[in-house]
Amino acid sequence: MLTNTSQNQRAITLLAVGHACVDVYQGAVAALVPFFVAERAYTYAAASGIVLAASLLSSVAQPLFGAVTDRRPLPWLLPVSTIVGGLGIALSGLGDSYALTLLFVAVSGIGVAAYHPESARIARVASRGGHTAMSWFSLGGNLGFAFSPALVALVVGFGGLTMSPLLLLPALAGSVLCLPALRLVRREQDAAPGAKHSAQALTSAVDDRRSFLRLTLGVICRSVVFIGLSTFISFHMAQSTGWGPTAGTAALVVLYLGGAVGTVLGGRLAERWDRVTVVSRSYLLTVVAVAGVVLVPGPTGYLFVALASAGLYVPFSLQVTLAQDYLPNRVGTAGGITLGLTVSVGGIAAPGIGLLADATSLRTALIPLIAMPALSWLAFRGLPEPAAAIGPARTTPVELPSEKVE
């Protein structure tokens, strides 16, 4: 028989793998852009419009889904939203209509938006608010990001955009993995002392909205630089090295894999120092790293891509737990804004970068990204380290429909 600790670990592992299956589709949007350019002759601005379509609805919808799940837990959203996210990307390569392509990637963005607030809330329950466990959950999403360029290259690179329906397979796997994870979390919570009184305990906590707002501003700046690099790093490194499209795909993989390392490192560092300090110093390092990516030519750029990725991802899971501790009465909203907004709202700036690149050069268009981590550092500077509102007695119970998961 599994102990509560073993159940928690297994639940976090399943949730992390499911998170990877969902975030494949966030990474897939940027990975598909070069193929849209090659097969459909899109300009930089048109290609970045696809990123905007996936990001705009997602960034708006995620706080709404978070607010809904704060009022009533909806665990069934995990398998359903996973399928929706995968279906949009799977259909995006079919036909030549730009409008339909925008529609399909927007549908995928809505699916991703529905997934993150509820999954972050459930992961918080399973991890009992632990920084390391939450970093493993976040790592799953980052690995999905990291492997999405390879998956897209394998499927679309060999068969063209008409093979995109095969990209639905991770969504099918992720939706199945959600069910045992939800069952394990429910069992652990039912067995936890005081679980029935957790909602009443939660309402006694006080929300720190001012700190949460500052954190959100920092998250938005982080998102702009990350999505900007995700969208254009493949083109930039291909030009910088002169090695062609292969160099661009390699840069995208480095960007995402470096994020996986940064996420785990962030959880470890937070066990030694407070989260605000770790996040602030990471953004200072990222300023130098992004400058190197944009301004240093040749293969050395890959080193700066890796450093920028790690610097951007060390704060990733820490921002989620900070946000949830700033808004202990609205953990769904906090998770929806931080876990989802970090990889969506930056897409709103992508068309502006594309237009500037079309008018000048890609390197010139990327220079403003250097300032974004500095703005994030300013937003986090001086933020208080909240008292952690962690544990079964401080988390909203997971309401699971027994007929679906038992």
Side-chain angles (χ1 to χ4, degrees), residues 15-399:
L15 288 168
V17 177
H19 193 187
C21 293
V22 171
D23 278 6
V24 158
Y25 300 109
Q26 297 205 73
V29 177
L32 283 168
V33 164
F35 294 99
F36 286 128
V37 171
E39 292 193 26
R40 300 179 181 175
Y42 291 162
T43 64
Y44 285 136
S48 58
I50 296 173
V51 178
L52 174 63
S55 302
L56 184 58
L57 283 177
S58 182
S59 60
V60 171
Q62 287 190 67
L64 298 178
F65 280 111
V68 169
T69 57
D70 282 333
R71 295 176 62 87
R72 177 176 177 81
L74 300 172
W76 57 264
L77 274 178
L78 270 65
V80 171
S81 61
T82 300
I83 292 294
V84 173
L87 188 62
I89 293 298
L91 296 176
S92 67
L94 302 182
D96 294 326
S97 169
Y98 184 69
L100 281 179
T101 301
L102 294 178
L103 174 63
F104 289 139
V105 297
V107 167
S108 177
I110 292 175
V112 171
Y115 176 87
H116 281 103
E118 184 69 352
S119 67
R121 186 186 63 82
I122 292 174
R124 179 180 171 88
V125 174
S127 68
R128 299 183 179 181
H131 306 322
T132 300
M134 281 297 290
S135 72
W136 283 108
F137 168 70
S138 298
L139 173 65
N142 298 336
L143 288 177
F145 254 96
F147 288 113
S148 59
L151 177 64
V152 170
L154 179 65
V155 173
V156 181
F158 286 100
L161 288 170
T162 56
M163 299 297 291
S164 65
L166 291 177
L167 296 175
L168 181 62
L169 293 177
L172 297 176
S175 64
V176 172
L177 288 170
C178 290
L179 302 182
L182 295 175
R183 182 167 60 242
L184 285 168
V185 173
R186 181 181 182 182
R187 285 178 179 174
E188 190 279 334
Q189 192 171 43
D190 285 346
K196 293 181 179 180
H197 305 288
S198 59
Q200 290 88 335
L202 183 62
T203 57
S204 64
V206 177
D207 291 337
D208 184 354
R209 297 183 180 181
R210 178 175 296 181
S211 295
F212 179 77
L213 177 60
R214 288 181 56 188
L215 180 147
T216 301
L217 293 175
V219 166
I220 289 173
C221 293
R222 183 260 183 206
S223 178
V224 170
V225 65
F226 180 76
I227 295 297
L229 290 178
S230 297
T231 306
F232 297 105
I233 193 68
S234 57
F235 300 111
H236 174 68
M237 290 305 296
Q239 294 175 7
S240 178
T241 61
W243 295 345
T246 302
T249 300
L252 204 56
V253 171
V254 170
L255 180 68
Y256 293 160
L257 283 178
V261 174
T263 301
V264 175
L265 181 61
R268 298 293 184 183
L269 292 174
E271 300 294 343
R272 184 171 182 179
W273 294 288
D274 67 86
R275 290 167 290 177
V276 173
T277 297
V278 173
V279 171
S280 298
R281 292 178 179 177
S282 296
Y283 282 132
L284 278 180
L285 171 66
T286 306
V287 174
V288 178
V290 174
V293 171
V294 176
L295 302 176
V296 176
T300 307
Y302 286 106
L303 173 62
F304 287 108
V305 171
L307 290 175
S309 178
L312 288 168
Y313 268 106
V314 162
F316 193 82
S317 65
L318 305 184
Q319 291 171 159
V320 178
T321 59
L322 276 170
Q324 290 175 331
D325 288 340
Y326 287 141
L327 295 184
N329 295 305
R330 296 175 176 84
V331 294
T333 300
I337 290 176
T338 52
L339 187 61
L341 204 65
T342 51
V343 286
S344 60
V345 74
I348 297 173
I353 298 173
L355 288 170
L356 183 58
D358 287 333
T360 57
S361 70
L362 184 55
R363 173 169 291 179
T364 299
L366 294 177
I367 288 176
L369 296 182
I370 299 172
M372 292 296 106
L375 294 177
S376 293
W377 171 76
L378 286 173
F380 276 89
R381 187 182 180 192
L383 276 180
E385 179 71 20
I390 308 170
R394 300 300 300 273
T395 51
T396 305
V398 180
E399 297 179 6

